[in-house]
Amino acid sequence: IAATIIAWISGILWIIPLMAVFMCSIRSYSEIVTGWWKFDEFHPTIENFVKAWSLEYFSLNRPMINSFIVSIPSTILPLLVSSLAAYGFARFNFPLKDNIYLTLLILSAIPGQMIALPIYRLYLDVKLLNTFLGLILLHTGVGSIWITFFMKNFFDTLPREVEDAAKVDGASDFVIFKSIVIPLSLPALASAGILQFIWVWNDLFFAMVVLSDLTKFTATQCVPLLAGKHVIDLSIVAAGAIISSMVPIVVYALTSKYFVKGLIGWAPAA
């Protein structure tokens, strides 16, 4: 009973901010200025969503495209790099293997704020500031570390008998990885990909470090700017926040079965 009560309280506390954003997004600013929970006047409208998408001074349409330009490569590249690295850690012995793995573990514990200035100065020197490539490479580097740990743990659970049989038949390590290991690992790759995509899409900090050109802003950078230049309209900001958050919600909804299978199916059936 206690657990049920705690769960209900947690759910209510979690949903209240979401309800506040939604109510602000479908009402005019004059209706919510004294509190979104007051319903003396209540005239639902989609006007705020239209404005958020097509404001003259700033809108979400281009930043949404920019977010896709950054998020898709920043998901695919670390999956490719990390799956190869994780397979190497899981199946092969090589010099300094444990030391390299420990180094990756330490790097994963470093907060992004500590590397912001070095990354900025490095990108300034190599002319990657204000480029999508710079942000993609940054997300790829950061994401590759945790995905390597995630995939190595999954590879450790895969039975090696099938791989050994393939070696007897003359298959190379890369052929085994491509034709046997990857198909068995699709649920784990899907889970890692979903998490990485959502993390990159929702990122604000690294985007602000790398991008300062308004035409290259991502959706998360754009949302605060929807408030306006002279008159602050939080209703449009709320609508913009909902539009931006719909993409990861839809991605998760469409791939949830693969996500859950990848998290709990650490012993896939042959």
Side-chain angles (χ1 to χ4, degrees), residues 162-177 179-180:
V162 179
E163 299 174 46
D164 293 337
K167 287 182 180 179
V168 172
D169 291 337
S172 64
D173 291 323
F174 182 74
V175 170
I176 292 172
F177 174 77
S179 303
I180 297 176

Side-chain angles (χ1 to χ4, degrees), residues 1 25 33 43 50 54 81 102 150 160 194 231 256-258 268:
I1 296 177
S25 69
V33 68
H43 303 96
V50 175
S54 58
V81 173
L102 179 61
F150 185 89
R160 301 195 182 193
I194 294 167
V231 178
S256 59
K257 64 178 181 179
Y258 305 104

Side-chain angles (χ1 to χ4, degrees), residues 119-129:
I119 288 293
Y120 183 86
R121 298 187 65 176
L122 173 64
Y123 275 20
L124 186 62
D125 292 337
V126 298
K127 302 187 185 306
L128 282 176
L129 278 182

Side-chain angles (χ1 to χ4, degrees), residues 9-48:
I9 294 175
S10 300
I12 292 172
L13 292 176
W14 180 81
I15 204 172
I16 286 176
L18 297 180
M19 181 62 69
V21 173
F22 177 73
M23 294 303 299
C24 289
S25 69
I26 63 172
R27 302 171 67 183
S28 65
Y29 182 67
S30 60
E31 291 184 16
I32 66 168
V33 68
T34 58
W36 64 267
W37 55 89
K38 296 181 180 180
F39 293 93
D40 299 334
E41 294 184 38
F42 183 62
H43 303 96
T45 178
I46 63 170
E47 183 181 359
N48 294 321

Side-chain angles (χ1 to χ4, degrees), residues 62-263:
R62 182 61 201 181
M64 291 285 285
I65 297 174
N66 294 342
S67 287
F68 277 111
I69 292 174
V70 171
S71 298
I72 294 175
S74 297
T75 301
I76 296 175
L77 288 177
L79 285 178
L80 293 175
V81 173
S82 299
S83 58
L84 287 168
Y87 187 68
F89 280 116
R91 291 294 188 267
F92 304 109
N93 291 316
F94 49 87
L96 301 178
K97 171 183 174 180
D98 293 337
N99 293 334
I100 295 174
Y101 195 74
L102 179 61
T103 301
L104 290 176
L105 182 62
I106 294 173
L107 289 176
S108 68
I110 298 177
Q113 291 80 358
M114 289 186 64
I115 65 173
L117 182 57
I119 288 293
Y120 183 86
R121 298 187 65 176
L122 173 64
Y123 275 20
L124 186 62
D125 292 337
V126 298
K127 302 187 185 306
L128 282 176
L129 278 182
N130 271 324
T131 64
F132 291 134
L133 177 60
L135 188 55
I136 290 169
L137 292 177
L138 179 54
H139 282 305
T140 298
V142 173
S144 295
I145 298 176
W146 77 264
I147 296 176
T148 298
F149 294 136
F150 185 89
M151 294 306 302
K152 178 189 179 299
N153 290 334
F154 187 88
F155 290 150
D156 285 339
T157 67
L158 294 178
R160 301 195 182 193
E161 289 78 8
V162 179
E163 299 174 46
D164 293 337
K167 287 182 180 179
V168 172
D169 291 337
S172 64
D173 291 323
F174 182 74
V175 170
I176 292 172
F177 174 77
K178 180 184 69 173
S179 303
I180 297 176
V181 175
I182 289 298
L184 289 175
S185 306
L186 288 180
L189 288 170
S191 296
I194 294 167
L195 289 174
Q196 175 70 1
F197 179 87
I198 293 175
W199 187 85
V200 174
W201 183 274
N202 291 330
D203 170 66
L204 175 62
F205 181 75
F206 286 140
M208 293 185 67
V209 171
V210 177
L211 302 177
S212 59
D213 186 347
L214 289 176
T215 62
K216 295 181 180 179
F217 271 19
T218 61
T220 52
Q221 289 176 283
C222 170
V223 169
L225 300 179
L226 296 175
K229 294 181 178 180
H230 307 293
V231 178
I232 304 299
D233 191 342
L234 297 180
S235 296
I236 300 178
V237 176
I242 290 180
I243 293 174
S244 176
S245 65
M246 286 305 298
V247 172
I249 290 174
V250 170
V251 168
Y252 177 77
L254 294 177
T255 58
S256 59
K257 64 178 181 179
Y258 305 104
F259 178 76
V260 174
K261 186 177 179 180
L263 290 181

